[in-house]
Amino acid sequence: MAIDLSQLQSSEIKNLDLLAKQVVEGFITGMHKSPYHGFSVEFSEHKLYNKGEDTKHIDWKLFAKTEKLYTKKYEEETNLRCHIIIDNSSSMHYPLKKVQRFDDLNKIGFSIVAAASLIELLKKQRDAVGLSVYSDSYEFYAPEKGSDRHRKILTHQLESLLQQPKASKATETYQYLHEIAQKIHRRSMIFLFTDMFQPSKDNEELFDALRHLKYNKHEVILFHTFDKELEYDFDFENSPKKFVDVETGQQINLYAESVKESYNKEIANFFENLKNKCLQYKINYIPVNINENYNKILTTYLVSRNKF
Protein backbone atom coordinates (compact mmCIF):
# COMPACT_ATOMS: atom_id res chain seq x y z
CA MET A 1 0.00 0.00 0.00
CA ALA A 2 2.92 2.34 -0.60
CA ILE A 3 2.37 5.80 -2.03
CA ASP A 4 4.58 6.82 -4.94
CA LEU A 5 6.16 9.99 -3.59
CA SER A 6 7.52 10.89 -7.01
CA GLN A 7 3.94 11.65 -8.06
CA LEU A 8 3.42 14.11 -5.24
CA GLN A 9 4.41 17.70 -4.81
CA SER A 10 7.88 17.99 -3.25
CA SER A 11 8.24 21.76 -3.38
CA GLU A 12 6.58 24.24 -1.03
CA ILE A 13 2.97 23.16 -0.41
CA LYS A 14 0.68 25.59 -2.24
CA ASN A 15 -2.43 23.52 -2.97
CA LEU A 16 -3.33 21.37 0.01
CA ASP A 17 -6.59 20.17 -1.54
CA LEU A 18 -4.81 18.81 -4.61
CA LEU A 19 -2.08 17.22 -2.50
CA ALA A 20 -4.67 15.50 -0.30
CA LYS A 21 -6.40 14.09 -3.38
CA GLN A 22 -3.08 12.70 -4.64
CA VAL A 23 -2.34 11.11 -1.26
CA VAL A 24 -5.77 9.44 -1.15
CA GLU A 25 -5.63 8.29 -4.77
CA GLY A 26 -2.21 6.74 -4.15
CA PHE A 27 -3.50 5.06 -1.01
CA ILE A 28 -6.58 3.64 -2.73
CA THR A 29 -4.52 2.40 -5.67
CA GLY A 30 -2.15 0.68 -3.26
CA MET A 31 -5.03 -0.99 -1.44
CA HIS A 32 -6.58 -2.35 -4.61
CA LYS A 33 -3.22 -3.79 -5.65
CA SER A 34 -2.71 -5.50 -2.30
CA PRO A 35 -4.44 -8.86 -1.65
CA TYR A 36 -3.59 -8.55 2.05
CA HIS A 37 -5.44 -5.42 3.15
CA GLY A 38 -7.63 -7.54 5.43
CA PHE A 39 -10.99 -5.86 4.95
CA SER A 40 -13.38 -4.88 2.19
CA VAL A 41 -13.15 -1.32 0.94
CA GLU A 42 -16.57 -0.36 -0.35
CA PHE A 43 -16.60 3.36 -0.97
CA SER A 44 -19.90 5.07 -0.44
CA GLU A 45 -20.56 5.62 -4.12
CA HIS A 46 -21.38 1.89 -4.34
CA LYS A 47 -22.32 -1.01 -2.11
CA LEU A 48 -22.69 -4.71 -2.90
CA TYR A 49 -26.14 -5.68 -4.14
CA ASN A 50 -28.08 -7.86 -1.72
CA LYS A 51 -30.63 -10.34 -3.05
CA GLY A 52 -34.13 -8.93 -2.79
CA GLU A 53 -33.13 -5.27 -3.13
CA ASP A 54 -34.65 -3.06 -5.81
CA THR A 55 -32.68 -3.59 -9.03
CA LYS A 56 -33.24 -0.08 -10.38
CA HIS A 57 -30.13 1.23 -8.57
CA ILE A 58 -27.73 -1.45 -9.91
CA ASP A 59 -24.72 0.03 -11.70
CA TRP A 60 -24.66 -2.07 -14.88
CA LYS A 61 -21.55 -0.35 -16.25
CA LEU A 62 -19.64 -1.41 -13.15
CA PHE A 63 -21.07 -4.92 -13.50
CA ALA A 64 -19.64 -5.07 -17.06
CA LYS A 65 -16.19 -4.31 -15.67
CA THR A 66 -16.24 -6.37 -12.48
CA GLU A 67 -18.96 -9.01 -13.04
CA LYS A 68 -20.23 -8.11 -9.56
CA LEU A 69 -23.51 -6.43 -8.73
CA TYR A 70 -23.22 -3.06 -7.00
CA THR A 71 -25.94 -0.54 -6.24
CA LYS A 72 -25.39 3.20 -6.21
CA LYS A 73 -25.47 5.03 -2.90
CA TYR A 74 -26.62 8.57 -2.47
CA GLU A 75 -25.85 11.63 -0.36
CA GLU A 76 -28.69 11.07 2.10
CA GLU A 77 -27.18 7.72 3.13
CA THR A 78 -24.45 9.46 5.13
CA ASN A 79 -24.46 8.05 8.65
CA LEU A 80 -21.05 8.78 10.15
CA ARG A 81 -19.83 11.96 11.79
CA CYS A 82 -16.13 12.66 12.32
CA HIS A 83 -14.28 15.41 14.14
CA ILE A 84 -10.58 16.16 13.62
CA ILE A 85 -8.63 17.86 16.43
CA ILE A 86 -5.17 19.37 15.87
CA ASP A 87 -2.73 20.47 18.58
CA ASN A 88 -1.05 23.66 17.28
CA SER A 89 1.23 24.31 20.26
CA SER A 90 4.90 25.21 19.75
CA SER A 91 6.14 21.66 20.33
CA MET A 92 4.13 20.57 17.28
CA HIS A 93 6.25 22.95 15.16
CA TYR A 94 9.32 20.82 15.82
CA PRO A 95 11.63 20.23 14.01
CA LEU A 96 11.83 23.83 12.79
CA LYS A 97 11.44 24.13 9.01
CA LYS A 98 12.08 27.19 6.87
CA VAL A 99 9.74 25.76 4.25
CA GLN A 100 7.17 22.99 4.67
CA ARG A 101 7.52 20.50 1.82
CA PHE A 102 5.71 17.22 1.36
CA ASP A 103 8.94 15.25 1.75
CA ASP A 104 10.20 17.41 4.65
CA LEU A 105 7.48 18.22 7.19
CA ASN A 106 7.52 18.88 10.90
CA LYS A 107 4.83 17.57 13.25
CA ILE A 108 2.26 20.27 12.56
CA GLY A 109 2.88 20.06 8.80
CA PHE A 110 2.45 16.29 8.84
CA SER A 111 -0.74 16.56 10.91
CA ILE A 112 -2.21 19.14 8.52
CA VAL A 113 -1.54 17.04 5.41
CA ALA A 114 -2.87 13.95 7.22
CA ALA A 115 -6.02 15.84 8.26
CA ALA A 116 -6.58 17.13 4.71
CA SER A 117 -6.17 13.57 3.40
CA LEU A 118 -8.70 12.30 5.93
CA ILE A 119 -11.14 15.00 4.83
CA GLU A 120 -10.71 13.87 1.23
CA LEU A 121 -11.32 10.23 2.17
CA LEU A 122 -14.31 11.25 4.30
CA LYS A 123 -15.66 13.02 1.23
CA LYS A 124 -15.46 9.77 -0.75
CA GLN A 125 -17.32 8.02 2.06
CA ARG A 126 -19.96 10.77 2.26
CA ASP A 127 -19.14 11.23 5.94
CA ALA A 128 -19.62 14.53 7.76
CA VAL A 129 -16.51 16.17 9.22
CA GLY A 130 -15.72 18.91 11.72
CA LEU A 131 -12.44 20.49 12.84
CA SER A 132 -10.95 21.94 16.02
CA VAL A 133 -7.53 23.59 16.40
CA TYR A 134 -6.08 24.62 19.76
CA SER A 135 -2.81 25.90 21.26
CA ASP A 136 -2.78 28.44 24.09
CA SER A 137 -6.34 29.27 22.99
CA TYR A 138 -9.19 27.55 21.18
CA GLU A 139 -8.16 28.80 17.73
CA PHE A 140 -10.80 27.30 15.45
CA TYR A 141 -13.97 25.25 15.64
CA ALA A 142 -16.33 24.02 12.92
CA PRO A 143 -19.09 21.45 13.56
CA GLU A 144 -19.54 18.28 11.52
CA LYS A 145 -21.08 18.84 8.11
CA GLY A 146 -20.98 16.96 4.82
CA SER A 147 -21.19 19.64 2.13
CA ASP A 148 -18.41 20.38 -0.35
CA ARG A 149 -18.49 24.04 0.68
CA HIS A 150 -17.90 23.06 4.30
CA ARG A 151 -14.97 20.82 3.39
CA LYS A 152 -13.41 23.64 1.39
CA ILE A 153 -13.66 25.91 4.43
CA LEU A 154 -11.87 23.30 6.54
CA THR A 155 -9.13 22.79 3.94
CA HIS A 156 -8.65 26.56 3.66
CA GLN A 157 -8.28 26.75 7.44
CA LEU A 158 -5.65 24.00 7.33
CA GLU A 159 -3.78 25.83 4.56
CA SER A 160 -3.78 29.01 6.69
CA LEU A 161 -2.46 27.01 9.61
CA LEU A 162 0.34 25.65 7.45
CA GLN A 163 1.42 29.18 6.53
CA GLN A 164 1.38 30.55 10.08
CA PRO A 165 4.78 31.62 11.43
CA LYS A 166 6.08 29.71 14.40
CA ALA A 167 5.17 31.34 17.72
CA SER A 168 5.79 30.48 21.36
CA LYS A 169 2.58 28.74 22.34
CA ALA A 170 2.37 26.42 25.29
CA THR A 171 -0.84 24.47 25.70
CA GLU A 172 -2.95 22.76 28.28
CA THR A 173 -4.34 20.04 26.03
CA TYR A 174 -6.65 18.71 28.74
CA GLN A 175 -8.46 22.08 28.96
CA TYR A 176 -9.35 22.29 25.27
CA LEU A 177 -10.26 18.61 24.99
CA HIS A 178 -12.87 19.21 27.70
CA GLU A 179 -14.21 22.21 25.72
CA ILE A 180 -14.32 20.23 22.48
CA ALA A 181 -16.06 17.29 24.17
CA GLN A 182 -18.83 19.63 25.32
CA LYS A 183 -19.43 20.79 21.73
CA ILE A 184 -19.77 17.31 20.16
CA HIS A 185 -23.22 16.09 21.13
CA ARG A 186 -23.99 13.40 18.57
CA ARG A 187 -22.05 10.14 18.45
CA SER A 188 -18.91 10.71 16.38
CA MET A 189 -15.52 9.36 15.46
CA ILE A 190 -12.86 11.71 16.87
CA PHE A 191 -9.31 11.97 15.51
CA LEU A 192 -6.74 13.75 17.70
CA PHE A 193 -3.32 14.79 16.35
CA THR A 194 -0.98 15.71 19.22
CA ASP A 195 2.50 14.97 20.54
CA MET A 196 0.99 14.70 24.05
CA PHE A 197 3.46 17.22 25.48
CA GLN A 198 2.13 19.72 28.02
CA PRO A 199 4.32 21.63 30.46
CA SER A 200 2.37 22.04 33.67
CA LYS A 201 -0.18 19.29 34.32
CA ASP A 202 0.37 15.61 35.00
CA ASN A 203 -0.95 13.04 32.57
CA GLU A 204 -3.95 12.11 34.73
CA GLU A 205 -5.56 15.45 33.85
CA LEU A 206 -4.94 14.67 30.19
CA PHE A 207 -6.46 11.19 30.40
CA ASP A 208 -9.50 12.55 32.22
CA ALA A 209 -10.02 14.83 29.22
CA LEU A 210 -9.58 11.93 26.78
CA ARG A 211 -12.18 9.97 28.71
CA HIS A 212 -14.46 12.99 28.49
CA LEU A 213 -14.08 12.82 24.69
CA LYS A 214 -15.40 9.26 24.80
CA TYR A 215 -18.58 10.48 26.48
CA ASN A 216 -21.75 9.78 24.45
CA LYS A 217 -20.07 6.67 23.02
CA HIS A 218 -17.69 8.55 20.74
CA GLU A 219 -14.86 6.56 19.14
CA VAL A 220 -11.57 8.31 20.01
CA ILE A 221 -8.44 7.75 17.91
CA LEU A 222 -5.24 9.30 19.23
CA PHE A 223 -2.61 9.86 16.55
CA HIS A 224 0.47 10.32 18.74
CA THR A 225 2.63 12.42 16.43
CA PHE A 226 6.43 12.45 16.82
CA ASP A 227 9.77 12.55 15.01
CA LYS A 228 11.26 9.13 15.69
CA GLU A 229 14.84 10.00 14.78
CA LEU A 230 15.10 13.12 16.95
CA GLU A 231 12.44 12.79 19.64
CA TYR A 232 12.45 9.04 20.26
CA ASP A 233 15.92 7.82 19.25
CA PHE A 234 17.58 11.13 20.30
CA ASP A 235 19.86 10.79 17.30
CA PHE A 236 22.05 13.91 17.52
CA GLU A 237 25.75 14.37 16.77
CA ASN A 238 27.88 14.07 19.88
CA SER A 239 29.01 17.67 19.98
CA PRO A 240 28.07 20.40 22.46
CA LYS A 241 24.56 21.62 21.66
CA LYS A 242 22.06 24.01 23.16
CA PHE A 243 18.67 22.37 23.63
CA VAL A 244 15.74 24.80 23.95
CA ASP A 245 12.25 23.94 25.16
CA VAL A 246 10.11 25.45 22.39
CA GLU A 247 7.17 26.07 24.74
CA THR A 248 8.83 27.32 27.95
CA GLY A 249 12.05 28.75 26.48
CA GLN A 250 14.21 26.89 29.01
CA GLN A 251 17.71 26.07 27.73
CA ILE A 252 20.40 23.53 28.54
CA ASN A 253 23.85 22.87 27.06
CA LEU A 254 25.00 19.26 26.86
CA TYR A 255 26.51 16.45 24.80
CA ALA A 256 23.74 14.25 23.42
CA GLU A 257 25.63 11.02 24.16
CA SER A 258 25.91 11.91 27.85
CA VAL A 259 22.14 11.65 28.36
CA LYS A 260 21.05 9.41 25.50
CA GLU A 261 20.79 6.19 27.49
CA SER A 262 18.67 7.69 30.27
CA TYR A 263 16.62 9.68 27.74
CA ASN A 264 15.86 6.55 25.70
CA LYS A 265 14.67 4.79 28.85
CA GLU A 266 12.42 7.67 29.88
CA ILE A 267 10.88 8.18 26.44
CA ALA A 268 10.23 4.43 26.05
CA ASN A 269 8.44 4.46 29.42
CA PHE A 270 6.43 7.51 28.34
CA PHE A 271 5.26 5.77 25.15
CA GLU A 272 4.50 2.50 26.92
CA ASN A 273 2.49 4.21 29.67
CA LEU A 274 0.56 6.19 27.07
CA LYS A 275 -0.23 3.03 25.14
CA ASN A 276 -1.38 1.18 28.28
CA LYS A 277 -3.55 4.06 29.47
CA CYS A 278 -5.26 4.26 26.09
CA LEU A 279 -5.87 0.52 26.19
CA GLN A 280 -7.35 0.89 29.68
CA TYR A 281 -9.70 3.67 28.59
CA LYS A 282 -10.56 2.01 25.24
CA ILE A 283 -8.93 4.76 23.20
CA ASN A 284 -7.40 3.70 19.88
CA TYR A 285 -3.71 4.63 20.26
CA ILE A 286 -1.77 5.03 17.00
CA PRO A 287 1.89 6.14 17.24
CA VAL A 288 2.69 8.14 14.08
CA ASN A 289 6.27 8.80 12.98
CA ILE A 290 6.18 11.90 10.77
CA ASN A 291 8.92 10.46 8.55
CA GLU A 292 6.59 7.68 7.37
CA ASN A 293 3.66 7.90 4.92
CA TYR A 294 -0.05 8.40 5.62
CA ASN A 295 -1.20 4.80 5.10
CA LYS A 296 -1.48 4.05 8.82
CA ILE A 297 -3.76 7.04 9.36
CA LEU A 298 -6.06 6.37 6.40
CA THR A 299 -6.22 2.63 7.09
CA THR A 300 -7.09 3.33 10.73
CA TYR A 301 -10.05 5.43 9.61
CA LEU A 302 -11.36 2.72 7.25
CA VAL A 303 -10.98 -0.07 9.82
CA SER A 304 -12.57 2.05 12.56
CA ARG A 305 -15.40 3.01 10.22
CA ASN A 306 -16.20 -0.66 9.57
CA LYS A 307 -16.36 -1.32 13.33
CA PHE A 308 -18.19 1.93 14.11
Side-chain angles (χ1 to χ4, degrees):
M1 296 195 299
I3 296 172
D4 183 1
L5 299 186
S6 66
Q7 301 301 313
L8 298 172
Q9 186 172 336
S10 60
S11 59
E12 185 176 358
I13 296 172
K14 297 177 181 177
N15 191 328
L16 185 59
D17 186 54
L18 177 60
L19 178 58
K21 288 178 181 178
Q22 291 175 310
V23 169
V24 171
E25 286 171 7
F27 169 73
I28 293 171
T29 299
M31 289 197 65
H32 287 311
K33 287 180 179 178
S34 171
Y36 305 113
H37 48 72
F39 57 94
S40 175
V41 184
E42 296 172 18
F43 293 104
S44 63
E45 288 88 347
H46 296 91
K47 64 179 179 181
L48 280 171
Y49 171 78
N50 293 316
K51 188 175 181 180
E53 289 183 337
D54 193 332
T55 59
K56 70 179 181 179
H57 296 308
I58 291 177
D59 189 331
W60 295 107
K61 290 183 180 179
L62 189 59
F63 173 75
K65 294 178 182 179
T66 65
E67 296 186 358
K68 292 183 180 180
L69 291 174
Y70 288 91
T71 58
K72 296 178 181 179
K73 294 181 71 176
Y74 297 94
E75 192 78 29
E76 61 270 17
E77 295 186 54
T78 298
N79 59 5
L80 183 63
R81 302 164 63 85
C82 299
H83 198 89
I84 299 171
I85 307 172
I86 296 179
D87 175 359
N88 188 35
S89 60
S90 292
S91 64
M92 288 289 286
H93 289 256
Y94 183 82
L96 299 180
K97 304 287 182 183
K98 290 184 179 180
V99 177
Q100 296 271 21
R101 299 192 315 235
F102 181 80
D103 58 352
D104 188 23
L105 295 166
N106 58 18
K107 289 185 285 185
I108 191 65
F110 182 93
S111 298
I112 288 168
V113 175
S117 301
L118 273 175
I119 290 171
E120 177 64 22
L121 194 51
L122 288 162
K123 175 183 175 182
K124 288 184 174 293
Q125 298 292 90
R126 310 276 194 213
D127 291 336
V129 60
L131 176 67
S132 288
V133 181
Y134 69 89
S135 58
D136 55 354
S137 64
Y138 198 157
E139 297 182 357
F140 180 83
Y141 167 75
E144 303 80 32
K145 295 181 181 179
S147 69
D148 285 340
R149 181 177 179 275
H150 178 71
R151 293 188 189 94
K152 287 177 181 178
I153 291 172
L154 300 190
T155 303
H156 176 73
Q157 178 63 30
L158 292 174
E159 283 184 332
S160 300
L161 189 60
L162 196 61
Q163 303 303 325
Q164 282 182 6
K166 181 246 177 196
S168 295
K169 295 180 180 180
T171 189
E172 301 296 356
T173 292
Y174 76 97
Q175 175 184 340
Y176 300 109
L177 294 188
H178 281 304
E179 287 190 34
I180 294 166
Q182 291 171 356
K183 288 179 176 289
I184 305 174
H185 302 295
R186 294 176 60 184
R187 188 174 181 230
S188 303
M189 187 179 296
I190 299 173
F191 302 101
L192 171 60
F193 290 89
T194 178
D195 55 15
M196 293 296 286
F197 294 143
Q198 54 176 19
S200 61
K201 289 285 183 179
D202 63 40
N203 285 332
E204 288 306 316
E205 290 275 8
L206 189 52
F207 283 110
D208 284 342
L210 288 172
R211 281 188 289 178
H212 190 183
L213 277 181
K214 281 190 66 67
Y215 187 68
N216 284 340
K217 299 181 179 179
H218 299 314
E219 177 80 9
V220 178
I221 299 163
L222 170 59
F223 290 120
H224 184 201
T225 311
F226 65 101
D227 185 310
K228 184 177 185 300
E229 180 181 350
L230 300 179
E231 293 183 310
Y232 191 89
D233 297 334
F234 206 63
D235 191 7
F236 293 93
E237 293 179 1
N238 192 31
S239 58
K241 292 184 181 298
K242 178 186 289 184
F243 290 86
V244 182
D245 187 314
V246 293
E247 294 196 1
T248 67
Q250 291 181 321
Q251 303 179 9
I252 185 172
N253 296 307
L254 50 79
Y255 285 87
E257 285 295 327
S258 65
V259 299
K260 185 172 183 177
E261 183 177 351
S262 57
Y263 176 90
N264 289 155
K265 187 179 297 184
E266 287 294 326
I267 198 70
N269 288 338
F270 173 68
F271 272 66
E272 186 64 22
N273 182 56
L274 189 54
K275 176 183 174 182
N276 290 336
K277 283 288 188 180
C278 286
L279 185 64
Q280 178 183 344
Y281 298 139
K282 296 181 180 179
I283 294 166
N284 195 354
Y285 172 71
I286 310 294
V288 177
N289 176 16
I290 64 171
N291 298 307
E292 295 179 350
N293 59 36
Y294 300 91
N295 291 346
K296 185 185 291 186
I297 291 164
L298 300 180
T299 301
T300 297
Y301 156 67
L302 290 176
V303 173
S304 299
R305 190 181 195 277
N306 278 1
K307 294 177 181 177
F308 199 65

